[in-house]
């Protein structure tokens, strides 16, 4: 069967899988790297585009294969294969989009992703019907699943190491190899046999011809390509809102009674009621803000782990990123969850060492190794093995440069 494959469709299938991987990983990277759209929306979009890429690659590969002329595809198993793929990919991406990129998290995700790719393939093959049967070589079935798992693990590890453009492209290519390598290895182990032998389905019920499937696949190829192009558009960083000073207006004072002339004696009058003025409340950013009482900066930050709460020295913290009601603390190597909110972290950290550079980011100014322009704001890089990067909003650029000695403070 391999000798009769259409090489152009084979190449297209690998490209579609890689483009789907790049788009899905790009959306997942936005969940991990900083604020953007709703994380649930990003995760759903990443799972959907990856599932579409895997499923489309599978059927482009099927169209490239020399199948019997009367072969059709049963609709129900074909749809189920896509749903299995979307569910498994979504769960796998959920595990790698949150928490630490440790082996305990990446290995199960790779196992799940590889098993999902294999399940989608064989469920889809179960929907192939006609006057023939199918058999599968057990050794090649096991090899195809192993290829999917190993390549998926490699792609996830490359992606989680650092989500820049080159690493993202390499991880997407590894993902494309995982999907296409699994598919064509499995197809090498599949044999068409006469009716009555092996797996056999009659074309009963709702079925789609290869021509109808080709139309669906062409549309999905366009969707994957469009998603890839959209993922290349840089995401504008929203300017952080400056701290708002809220003051309650003081109530109007009662007019003072006229003082009697010095020569005129006035009888003592009853004591006037004293009207108190409500104190003005000022709320401002604690890091470098005003109106805050003296406080002692936190020496350590709590970090939540699987077996309890750990602590990290404030001097080892590179950045703090908002994550819903909690934060993610980066130590230069990895991110871990902190039970503090971004506002609480801002209030607890030493303003002489830390600065809030974005509505969702605080950085340790002493660990900054690079600052550059990005969009309307800036981007800074921090030291450490993974060299994390943090966006700086337009409103904070001048303050950050002043703290780094690049510009005199106003």
């Amino acid at each position: 069967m391999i000798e009769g494959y259409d090489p152009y469709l084979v190449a297209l299938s690998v490209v579609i899988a890689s483009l789907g991987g790049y788009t899905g990983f790009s959306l997942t990277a936005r969940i991990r790297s900083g604020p953007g759209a709703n994380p649930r929306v990003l995760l759903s979009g990443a799972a959907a585009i990856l599932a579409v890429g895997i499923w489309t690659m599978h059927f482009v590969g099927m169209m490239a294969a020399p199948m019997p002329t009367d072969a059709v595809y049963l609709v129900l198993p074909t749809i189920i294969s896509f749903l299995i793929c979307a569910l498994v990919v979504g769960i796998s991406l959920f595990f790698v989009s949150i928490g630490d990129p440790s082996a305990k998290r990446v290995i199960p995700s790779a196992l799940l992703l590889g098993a999902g790719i294999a399940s989608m393939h064989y469920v889809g093959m179960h929907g192939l019907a006609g006057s023939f049967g199918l058999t599968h070589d057990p050794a090649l079935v096991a090899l195809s699943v192993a290829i999917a798992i190993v390549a998926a693990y490699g792609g996830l590890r490359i992606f989680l190491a650092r989500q820049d453009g080159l690493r993202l492209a390499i991880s997407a290519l590894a993902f494309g190899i995982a999907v296409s390598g699994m598919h064509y290895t499995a197809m090498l182990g599949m044999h068409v046999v006469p009716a009555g032998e092996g797996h056999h389905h009659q074309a009963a019920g709702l079925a789609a011809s290869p021509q109808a499937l080709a139309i669906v696949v062409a549309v999905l190829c366009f969707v994957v390509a469009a998603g890839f192009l959209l993922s290349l558009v840089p995401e504008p960083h929203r300017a952080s809102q400056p701290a708002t000073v809220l003051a309650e207006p003081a109530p109007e004072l009662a007019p003072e009674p006229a003082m009697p002339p010095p020569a005129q004696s006035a009888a003592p009058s009853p004591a006037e009621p004293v009207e108190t003025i409500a104190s003005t409340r000022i709320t401002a950013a604690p890091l470098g803000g005003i109106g805050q009482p003296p406080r002692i900066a936190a020496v350590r930050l709590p970090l939540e782990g699987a077996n309890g709460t750990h602590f990290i020295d404030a001097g080892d913290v590179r950045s703090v990123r908002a994550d819903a009601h909690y934060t993610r603390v980066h130590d230069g190597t990895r991110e871990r969850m902190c039970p503090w909110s971004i506002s609480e972290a801002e209030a607890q950290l030493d303003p002489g060492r830390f600065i809030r550079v974005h509505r969702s980011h605080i950085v340790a100014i002493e660990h900054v190794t690079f600052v550059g322009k990005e969009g309307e704001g800036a981007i800074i890089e921090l030291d450490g093995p993974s060299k994390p990067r943090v966006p700086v909003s337009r409103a904070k650029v001048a303050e950050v440069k002043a703290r780094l000695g690049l510009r005199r403070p106003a």
Side-chain angles (χ1 to χ4, degrees):
M1 290 186 64
I2 298 299
E3 294 178 356
Y5 271 69
D6 185 333
Y8 297 104
L9 288 179
V10 171
L12 176 62
S13 67
V14 178
V15 170
I16 288 297
S18 298
L19 293 184
Y22 186 95
T23 308
F25 286 153
S26 176
L27 292 175
T28 308
R30 293 186 182 185
I31 301 175
R32 294 184 58 85
S33 63
N38 190 315
R40 294 182 179 88
V41 175
L42 291 176
L43 182 60
S44 301
I49 201 71
L50 274 176
V52 169
I54 295 171
W55 192 86
T56 304
M57 178 274 143
H58 169 77
F59 283 101
V60 170
M62 292 298 297
M63 291 164 55
M67 302 302 297
T69 56
D70 63 338
V72 295
Y73 298 89
L74 300 179
V75 173
L76 183 58
T78 302
I79 293 177
I80 291 176
S81 69
F82 174 77
L83 296 178
I84 290 174
C85 183
L87 178 62
V88 173
V89 168
I91 296 174
S92 177
L93 289 183
F94 171 76
F95 281 114
V96 299
S97 64
I98 61 173
D100 306 330
S102 60
K104 292 182 180 179
R105 193 177 290 271
V106 177
I107 291 177
S109 299
L111 289 172
L112 192 60
L113 185 57
I117 295 171
S119 300
M120 181 278 307
H121 174 87
Y122 286 106
V123 171
M125 295 304 300
H126 187 72
L128 190 63
S131 58
F132 53 86
L134 298 176
T135 60
H136 300 277
D137 186 340
L140 288 176
V141 170
L143 178 60
S144 66
V145 175
I147 290 174
I149 293 174
V150 172
Y153 176 80
L156 291 177
R157 288 302 303 175
I158 295 170
F159 163 70
L160 291 171
R162 185 178 177 187
Q163 294 111 39
D164 55 18
L166 179 60
R167 298 290 185 108
L168 199 59
I170 295 175
S171 64
L173 182 60
F175 177 80
I177 294 173
V179 180
S180 56
M182 179 273 151
H183 174 86
Y184 291 110
T185 302
M187 291 297 289
L188 182 64
M190 187 191 78
H191 306 283
V192 178
V193 296
E197 301 181 22
H199 160 67
H200 175 234
H201 265 163
Q202 290 291 341
L206 189 60
S209 66
Q211 292 76 17
L213 186 65
I215 296 175
V216 175
V217 170
V219 172
L220 292 180
C221 286
F222 173 79
V223 170
V224 173
F228 169 73
L229 293 176
L230 288 176
S231 69
L232 297 180
V233 177
E235 183 183 14
H237 297 296
R238 289 176 290 182
S240 63
Q241 298 177 352
T244 305
V245 179
L246 303 176
E248 289 185 354
E252 295 183 0
L253 295 179
E256 295 183 2
M259 295 295 296
Q264 181 181 358
S265 62
S269 59
E272 295 289 341
V274 178
E275 186 170 355
T276 59
I277 302 176
S279 60
T280 302
R281 291 185 302 148
I282 301 177
T283 59
L287 295 184
I290 59 174
Q292 300 297 321
R295 56 186 174 82
I296 300 176
V299 178
R300 301 188 301 171
L301 281 73
L303 301 175
E304 296 296 338
N307 56 349
T309 302
H310 305 270
F311 293 89
I312 180 175
D313 290 339
D316 295 331
V317 174
R318 266 60 174 180
S319 64
V320 181
R321 174 174 65 89
D323 186 4
H325 299 296
Y326 305 98
T327 49
R328 300 279 174 180
V329 175
H330 207 302
D331 62 359
T333 302
R334 57 176 178 167
E335 272 190 335
R336 285 177 285 179
M337 191 188 82
C338 175
W340 292 351
S341 66
I342 189 69
S343 299
E344 187 176 2
E346 184 183 15
Q348 295 282 352
L349 294 172
D350 182 2
R353 301 174 60 185
F354 293 88
I355 177 174
R356 189 163 181 173
V357 298
H358 194 281
R359 63 184 301 177
S360 300
H361 290 276
I362 297 172
V363 301
I365 203 71
E366 61 193 42
H367 290 291
V368 175
T369 59
F370 168 81
V371 57
K373 184 173 177 58
E374 181 169 294
E376 296 182 349
I379 192 80
I380 56 178
E381 186 175 270
L382 306 168
D383 60 12
S386 66
K387 300 186 183 301
R389 289 197 164 197
V390 178
V392 180
S393 66
R394 181 176 58 181
K396 287 288 186 177
V397 171
E399 183 180 356
V400 169
K401 288 186 175 181
R403 293 285 295 272
L404 293 173
L406 301 177
R407 178 184 299 176
R408 290 184 178 180

